[in-house]
Amino acid sequence: MQGLKKFVNNFNIIESADGVAFEKFVNSNILMSHQPDIFTGDAEMLDIITVGGHNDMGIDGLAIKVNGLFVKNIDDVEDIVKRFRKANIEIIFIQSKYKAFFDKGEFNNFIAGVRDFLNDIQLQPMNEKIKSMLEIKDYILSDDIIIMWEKNPAIRLYYVTMGKWNESPHQLGLAKQFENDIMERNTFELLGIHFIDSELLKKICDSNENKFEIALNTIDTMPLPFVEDVDNSCIALCNGSEYLKLLTSDDGLIRKTLFDDNVRDYQGDTGINNEMESTIFADPNKFVLLNNGLTIVCDEYTTSNRKIIVKNPQVVNGCQTSHVLFDANRKGYNIDNVALTIKFIATKKLDITNQIVRGTNRQNIVYDVAFETTKQFHKDLEEFFNDYSISNVKLYYERRARQYQHNPMIKQNQKTNMRAIIQGFVGMFLCNPEVAHRHESRLITEYQNKVFLDNHSKLPYYITALTYYNLEDLYLKNKLDKKLFYAYKHHLAMIFREVVAGQCPDINATKAIDDYCSVIQETLKSEYKTEINFIKAVEIFSDCRKVWINEYQRSQFGIKDNADFTKLLLKYIGSRSNTNYTELKEDENYRYTGYVLNTIKDRFGNDCGFISRLPNNIFFHANSNRGLNFNQLKGKRVTYKVNVNPKDGRLLAVDVELAG
């Protein structure tokens, strides 16, 4: 499957087994059909929701959505419900098999695992990823969240193979039995059990990339005059139920990717949207008179006998109307009598599309935190990313979801988005890593006078993205221990910045902050310097954690969210950076800590290497460390004593031992 190969390259999982890669591919595409930007700038999310492996309860993918947004932890849930004051919940379960048939036994194991997960008490063994999702599920079923439910939490199951679905009565019977079990609980709403074969999976992938063709019956069409660089254009009149064919995917979801070029996301229960819904309900025949209509740009379309066949459409104006119609249909309103005027424009010229977007969206926009990226700052930041790069990497600011999806040369890790940048910026430059993992809507509100200001230089935002790009690369290459330190990536980014460039100047002082960022950029140009300084950051973090636990007698848990621990880090970094290491008297009995950067052979074939250390890395040799096994020592944390080489005065690490 071509899409699978592209996915493997984009997510740098070339060495993964076919079955594992397929699981991630399926999880990615199914969840992107729910939220197109779910993985943009968030390398952690795909790993979190891919739960397959040991003790996986027969489940390969597991994700929880609150008010249309996927969550990673209870903090995300709290942030979202606090802002919206409501909780619409959906839990998605995925089982995928890289084989050419649907297996009754495997499907039975899948629904048994889902049933057990939804129970009050779980009987099956489960891995840590599923346990984390279970904590979120239990929280959204708690009294604190139940009072915000607008309806029972919904569940949706996907069973995916590379075979062909032939309406197996055995598996349909198991599905019906599961549906009856769910209905009897009266706690969850089942939105569907979807059997996805290779053909339907391809449709989902194509739909995610907005590559699909749809035929709509029209009431009438009228061609528009010729325009240069426009292949053809027309105005069509069709009813709401026909438009729903274009608007809805095969599993009943609204096609989110249709609105990638729309300047505004769906704004929900606004006065105008409520008026539209009232008209659909009470007086649908008047809808066409009261609504401005929609504008759709597509690659091409053909008309024949009151039918229009549209290829790869994009709704550039009409996001609000589309969502209101979709919701009205879900509520059971009759939309057959709702007529719509739709302007179809066929062009492959991006400049023309952009002009149409601007021309059809001139109404006043109410800037809400959910639509932050419509502001001029973000448009300028997008251009800055496009124009600016360093020698070894090119990054892209994906201001609109999946806007670079059509460029196969741009890999997933080269893209970032507003969520990733504000989280990274708050942690790295504003020295608040303890809150940086919070949902972007909360950060936008709390830091509205500190981030994305018109007078800000764009360079620190770019340096933020570049730093996290390199940090993710170190995790990917196992240069840093992901299991131990990934949760503290915002702390490490802050420490890295301080170690490399010292205390940060005022973010509003453009010249000073640009000069400061240039120092960081010079380090990031070198893969070796970047690795060394992040290893130093890990060493500082680990030392501070020991002080926190042993000297301050504070709990090792909750460090990630604790502002006092951040203060300790900054204090510790400051004390180290002010130390004159050239005059520091070494204590021969004191044991230091560091990471083995590499091991080599000297000219006589003896083992030796270097350990990370401020301000200069320290050399160690087998002659001074009898019995030390140098095999697979690279990257390991060690303790050591310091001696001085009498021949040249250099410091040597002796009595090196693996750290406990």
Side-chain angles (χ1 to χ4, degrees):
M1 179 181 260
Q2 191 65 34
L4 177 57
K5 292 180 180 178
K6 178 181 175 182
F7 171 83
V8 167
N9 287 325
N10 279 348
F11 280 83
N12 292 315
I13 54 172
I14 298 173
E15 297 181 0
S16 295
D18 288 346
V20 174
F22 183 68
E23 286 178 14
K24 292 186 175 182
F25 173 70
V26 169
N27 293 342
S28 170
N29 275 282
I30 287 177
L31 297 188
M32 281 194 296
S33 69
H34 288 254
Q35 182 185 330
D37 66 342
I38 178 175
F39 303 113
T40 303
D42 191 348
E44 188 181 20
M45 179 60 90
L46 183 58
D47 186 56
I48 288 174
I49 58 93
T50 301
V51 300
H54 184 62
N55 290 338
D56 61 13
M57 302 174 72
I59 303 167
D60 292 327
L62 176 52
I64 298 176
K65 191 164 58 168
V66 180
N67 294 340
L69 299 171
F70 286 104
V71 296
K72 295 189 286 189
N73 48 50
I74 290 175
D75 285 343
D76 284 352
V77 179
E78 290 177 341
D79 290 345
I80 292 171
V81 298
K82 181 179 179 181
R83 175 174 176 257
F84 291 99
R85 307 307 303 173
K86 65 179 182 179
N88 289 318
I89 298 156
E90 185 173 337
I91 308 176
I92 297 170
F93 301 90
I94 305 169
Q95 171 62 271
S96 50
K97 294 296 179 183
Y98 194 53
K99 54 178 61 172
F101 57 90
F102 288 82
D103 186 284
K104 175 187 173 184
E106 289 174 345
F107 177 67
N108 193 35
N109 290 338
F110 175 41
I111 59 176
V114 173
R115 186 183 287 111
D116 195 39
F117 181 89
L118 296 176
N119 284 340
D120 294 334
I121 299 175
Q122 286 67 44
L123 300 178
Q124 293 190 34
M126 63 184 73
N127 58 42
E128 292 302 317
K129 291 182 180 180
I130 295 181
K131 286 179 182 177
S132 296
M133 285 294 176
L134 184 64
E135 289 179 2
I136 302 175
K137 185 215 77 170
D138 289 342
Y139 179 66
I140 61 181
L141 294 178
S142 68
D143 292 343
D144 290 341
I145 305 299
I146 286 177
I147 60 175
M148 299 187 189
W149 288 4
E150 293 193 331
K151 56 186 176 182
N152 284 352
I155 61 171
R156 195 187 295 266
L157 280 67
Y158 294 87
Y159 180 46
V160 187
T161 81
M162 292 296 287
K164 182 175 177 57
W165 174 240
N166 291 313
E167 303 285 334
S168 164
H170 298 290
Q171 294 179 54
L172 288 175
L174 289 171
K176 185 62 178 177
Q177 185 180 29
F178 177 81
E179 181 181 351
N180 292 337
D181 291 345
I182 295 300
M183 290 177 64
E184 288 177 3
R185 295 172 186 236
N186 200 30
T187 304
F188 300 99
E189 174 190 0
L190 180 62
L191 292 183
I193 300 176
H194 307 280
F195 294 93
I196 310 294
D197 59 12
S198 58
E199 182 180 347
L200 187 50
L201 180 60
K202 184 178 185 304
K203 283 186 178 181
I204 292 172
C205 297
D206 289 344
S207 180
N208 284 340
E209 296 184 356
N210 235 47
K211 294 178 179 177
F212 69 97
E213 189 175 286
I214 199 78
L216 305 178
N217 294 313
T218 65
I219 299 169
D220 207 349
T221 59
M222 181 184 74
L224 294 173
F226 170 79
V227 177
E228 188 175 354
D229 290 329
V230 172
D231 298 331
N232 54 352
S233 58
C234 72
I235 293 178
L237 187 67
C238 72
N239 62 42
S241 56
E242 281 299 310
Y243 177 59
L244 211 63
K245 294 179 183 178
L246 181 147
L247 192 60
T248 311
S249 67
D250 287 345
D251 57 348
L253 297 170
I254 191 168
R255 298 182 196 266
K256 292 285 189 181
T257 53
L258 281 172
F259 310 104
D260 285 353
D261 287 334
N262 208 277
V263 296
R264 297 188 297 174
D265 201 347
Y266 180 47
Q267 296 191 9
D269 296 332
T270 64
I272 293 175
N273 289 345
N274 289 335
E275 284 181 22
M276 276 198 282
E277 183 176 315
S278 296
T279 303
I280 293 171
F281 177 72
D283 207 351
N285 291 322
K286 282 187 179 178
F287 189 86
V288 69
L289 303 177
L290 303 176
N291 186 266
N292 291 330
L294 303 93
T295 302
I296 294 178
V297 174
C298 56
D299 287 351
E300 61 182 74
Y301 74 81
T302 56
T303 57
S304 175
N305 194 25
R306 294 199 174 181
K307 180 173 287 191
I308 185 167
I309 302 171
V310 188
K311 185 175 182 180
N312 303 341
Q314 184 71 210
V315 179
V316 299
N317 186 40
C319 179
Q320 310 307 311
T321 300
S322 299
H323 280 80
V324 170
L325 275 169
F326 179 80
D327 287 341
N329 182 68
R330 276 201 311 184
K331 292 176 181 178
Y333 297 178
N334 183 0
I335 61 172
D336 286 339
N337 295 327
V338 176
L340 298 166
T341 56
I342 306 176
K343 188 187 300 179
F344 288 98
I345 302 169
T347 181
K348 296 182 178 68
K349 295 286 187 179
L350 184 59
D351 289 345
I352 294 293
T353 301
N354 289 337
Q355 289 177 31
I356 295 167
V357 170
R358 288 194 296 269
T360 55
N361 288 278
R362 292 192 180 278
Q363 65 272 38
N364 292 328
I365 298 174
V366 178
Y367 285 118
D368 185 80
V369 293
F371 317 115
E372 168 70 27
T373 57
T374 63
K375 295 181 180 178
Q376 187 61 43
F377 180 92
H378 294 275
K379 297 176 183 178
D380 294 341
L381 186 61
E382 180 185 348
E383 291 185 11
F384 184 89
F385 271 71
N386 289 335
D387 295 338
Y388 198 85
S389 65
I390 62 174
S391 57
N392 61 335
V393 66
K394 174 68 176 175
L395 300 180
Y396 298 85
Y397 179 38
E398 201 163 45
R399 186 172 61 86
R400 300 189 309 270
R402 297 175 61 79
Q403 70 187 85
Y404 295 112
Q405 65 175 326
H406 300 300
N407 188 341
M409 302 301 292
I410 302 175
K411 292 192 174 183
Q412 186 69 21
N413 63 342
Q414 291 178 262
K415 306 171 192 175
T416 189
N417 64 1
M418 189 270 286
R419 176 183 62 226
I421 287 183
I422 190 172
Q423 289 178 338
F425 188 81
V426 166
M428 181 177 175
F429 277 94
L430 299 187
C431 298
N432 294 133
E434 72 279 0
V435 299
H437 63 281
R438 292 286 193 178
H439 194 267
E440 61 270 25
S441 64
R442 179 167 176 176
L443 294 178
I444 283 290
T445 302
E446 294 183 355
Y447 290 85
Q448 58 183 320
N449 296 319
K450 296 181 180 180
V451 298
F452 304 141
L453 302 184
D454 291 339
N455 65 306
H456 280 184
S457 166
K458 307 300 183 294
L459 188 55
Y461 295 94
Y462 174 83
I463 291 298
T464 297
L466 185 61
T467 300
Y468 281 84
Y469 168 88
N470 281 276
L471 180 54
E472 293 291 349
D473 190 57
L474 291 174
Y475 284 124
L476 183 67
K477 294 176 179 176
N478 295 318
K479 299 292 183 68
L480 297 179
D481 192 320
K482 190 170 186 178
K483 185 176 181 180
L484 293 179
F485 297 110
Y486 196 89
Y488 307 105
K489 61 181 180 180
H490 299 303
H491 295 78
L492 296 184
M494 180 191 73
I495 299 170
F496 172 85
R497 174 189 56 72
E498 291 270 341
V499 167
V500 169
Q503 188 173 353
C504 186
D506 186 346
I507 203 71
N508 296 295
T510 304
K511 177 66 167 61
I513 198 66
D514 280 353
D515 291 343
Y516 181 82
C517 287
S518 296
V519 175
I520 303 172
Q521 180 173 302
E522 284 304 309
T523 295
L524 292 170
K525 284 182 180 179
S526 166
E527 187 175 331
Y528 175 75
K529 289 181 180 179
T530 301
E531 179 181 345
I532 295 304
N533 282 287
F534 265 116
I535 288 175
K536 290 177 181 177
V538 168
E539 180 181 347
I540 289 172
F541 180 89
S542 300
D543 288 346
C544 273
R545 183 160 53 182
K546 282 186 175 180
V547 171
W548 178 263
I549 297 169
N550 298 329
E551 296 184 20
Y552 284 41
Q553 296 293 302
R554 300 288 294 272
S555 171
Q556 62 179 317
F557 304 106
I559 286 176
K560 176 181 175 182
D561 307 320
N562 198 306
D564 288 338
F565 183 73
T566 300
K567 291 176 183 177
L568 176 63
L569 281 174
L570 291 169
K571 180 180 178 181
Y572 190 72
I573 297 167
S575 66
R576 292 185 68 149
S577 62
N578 292 330
T579 302
N580 187 338
Y581 286 92
T582 59
E583 298 177 0
L584 181 65
K585 184 179 180 180
E586 302 293 345
D587 183 345
E588 62 181 13
N589 294 314
Y590 183 78
R591 295 196 68 82
Y592 297 85
T593 303
Y595 283 82
V596 177
L597 301 176
N598 61 353
T599 56
I600 55 177
K601 300 280 187 181
D602 67 12
R603 59 178 178 165
F604 302 110
N606 297 315
D607 290 310
C608 55
F610 290 89
I611 299 171
S612 64
R613 181 178 172 82
L614 288 172
N616 298 307
N617 301 319
I618 190 168
F619 179 76
F620 70 114
H621 195 281
N623 290 343
S624 305
N625 295 279
R626 301 293 184 184
L628 181 64
N629 185 358
F630 278 71
N631 292 332
Q632 297 182 338
L633 198 57
K634 183 178 178 181
K636 297 294 175 55
R637 192 164 185 253
V638 294
T639 64
Y640 59 93
K641 294 180 180 179
V642 172
N643 276 351
V644 178
N645 188 333
K647 294 181 179 180
D648 55 16
R650 286 194 309 163
L651 298 181
L652 295 174
V654 300
D655 195 16
V656 176
E657 297 178 355
L658 285 171

